[in-house]
Structure formats: C-alpha cells, structure tokens
Amino acid sequence: MDNSQLQDRLEFLRRAERLKDTLRSGHTTEGRTESVADHTWRLTLLVITFSDLLPNVDLLRLLKICVLHDLGEAINGDIPAPFQTGAAPKSDKERADFESLLSTLPAHLKSEFLSLWDEYENIESNEAQIAKALDKIETLIQHNQGRNPKGFDYAFNLDYGKQYTDAVPLASQLRALIDKDTAANAAHSQRGG
C-alpha cells in the first residue's frame, strides 16, 4: 500500500475525531456535557459486557455497527430525541454527513461502512436490532447517572426507544431495571429536587 492510500485513511480518522467534540444532551457524573464519542465508547463497552448473553450474534459486526452508528453526527451534531421533528428524518441528513466523512476512504471501506450504517438505521439484522436497543439502553443509563441540569425531563425517558428495547429480550430486562431509576429521578425532579 502506498503512502497516499495510508494518508487517505488517516484523513478519515482525523475528520472522524470531530465526534469527540460533538455534544449530546446528557451529562456525565461530574456534570460535563457528554460527547457522542463518549456515548459510542460506552455503547461498545455495553455490548462487550453483555456479549455472552447475546446468543447467535456476530460480535464483530455488532461492534462495527455500534462504532459507526452515530459517526455522521461529527459533521452537523446530534439532535436530541425530543427535538427530532420536521419534514426530513434525522437519518437522511446524518447519512449524507456520514457519506461525506467517508470520502477519503477506498471504495470497499466506503461500501462496507455505508452498508453497516444502513443496516443499523433500517434494523435489517439481528445485530442491528441489538445495537439499536442497546443504544437506547446506554442513553437511559447515562441520563440516570449523569448530573443533569435542573428541569431535565426524566419522564421522557420512560417511553424513549421502548419499541427498540422491547424487541430484544436482554434489553427489555435491562430496561425494567433502568426504568426504576428513571421513575425515581422523574419523581425527584418533579418535587423540585
């Protein structure tokens, strides 16, 4: 492989680094605004931690989907779930942004990465279904664990992504445990705590 091909891949990685500065609506335990890269890291850790409870799963494929699923947000940022409205779905813009990030990669990688992103977005495989469900689980964990600003809408999380978490038995079981924390945080927040 010549140096220009290596440089093209390095350029992709340099551009993808923007995900570290792309902020989400959640906060860490210390109160710092969470980045999309923070979320992606813990989603992959979540998958690895529970992989022994996910039978008949291509773990490498699942991890690739998790790493790539929000990468398009490096260009125009994350849109928090409560604000995902409008004529064009979030995924249309995010896919276009993702494609632009891939522009320096060789055709076979562009094709693989886009295929995995589409698989996730359209929930076309068992791995995509698990990734979608655990993506929601990671968000719920962070919202409960983080030091969120006053007025944070914990109650929204009681329904957030339920159709995805209900579709995966492990996610549904995790959700039942997490929803207890969410309900307690919502009640505490309503009391002005």
Side-chain angles (χ1 to χ4, degrees):
M1 183 171 289
D2 67 39
N3 280 345
S4 70
Q5 292 171 316
L6 294 176
Q7 283 293 0
D8 288 345
R9 291 177 191 221
L10 286 172
E11 180 58 25
F12 162 73
L13 292 170
R14 288 182 189 108
R15 293 170 71 196
E17 186 267 348
R18 292 175 58 182
L19 206 61
K20 292 180 179 185
D21 290 322
T22 304
L23 302 179
R24 290 172 52 93
S25 62
H27 293 77
T28 66
T29 307
E30 296 297 317
R32 178 182 59 79
T33 304
E34 175 191 32
S35 75
V36 177
D38 294 333
H39 161 70
T40 299
W41 164 77
R42 190 153 77 167
L43 172 59
T44 59
L45 184 61
L46 183 67
V47 166
I48 293 167
T49 302
F50 289 101
S51 63
D52 62 324
L53 302 176
L54 296 167
N56 305 314
V57 169
D58 180 338
L59 184 58
L60 179 58
R61 182 176 205 80
L62 175 56
L63 288 170
K64 285 180 178 183
I65 289 169
C66 290
V67 168
L68 297 172
H69 85 285
D70 278 340
L71 191 53
E73 293 178 6
I75 303 295
N76 284 299
D78 177 51
I79 301 170
F83 304 111
Q84 291 178 18
T85 59
K90 170 189 177 234
S91 62
D92 291 349
K93 180 65 177 142
E94 194 173 321
R95 188 182 195 283
D97 290 343
F98 183 53
E99 284 184 83
S100 75
L101 273 176
L102 302 178
S103 65
T104 64
L105 290 178
H108 74 280
L109 283 180
K110 279 186 218 176
S111 177
E112 178 189 2
F113 290 5
L114 278 171
S115 176
L116 289 166
W117 192 92
D118 288 338
E119 182 179 327
Y120 170 81
E121 199 60 31
N122 299 311
I123 314 173
E124 295 173 346
S125 67
N126 186 40
E127 289 76 14
Q129 186 176 45
I130 291 167
K132 187 75 82 166
L134 294 181
D135 173 61
K136 305 311 178 204
I137 292 296
E138 196 289 323
T139 298
L140 296 171
I141 293 169
Q142 190 62 52
H143 285 174
N144 282 317
Q145 181 178 3
R147 186 173 39 175
N148 298 308
K150 228 176 193 7
F152 187 84
D153 187 4
Y154 291 99
F156 174 84
N157 287 328
L158 291 170
D159 291 320
Y160 173 68
K162 201 152 177 47
Q163 71 271 31
Y164 303 115
T165 58
D166 285 353
V168 175
L170 173 62
S172 181
Q173 194 173 357
L174 291 169
R175 174 85 189 232
L177 296 170
I178 295 164
D179 279 352
K180 290 177 184 177
D181 293 336
T182 302
N185 282 329
H188 182 72
S189 180
Q190 287 174 348
R191 288 191 305 269

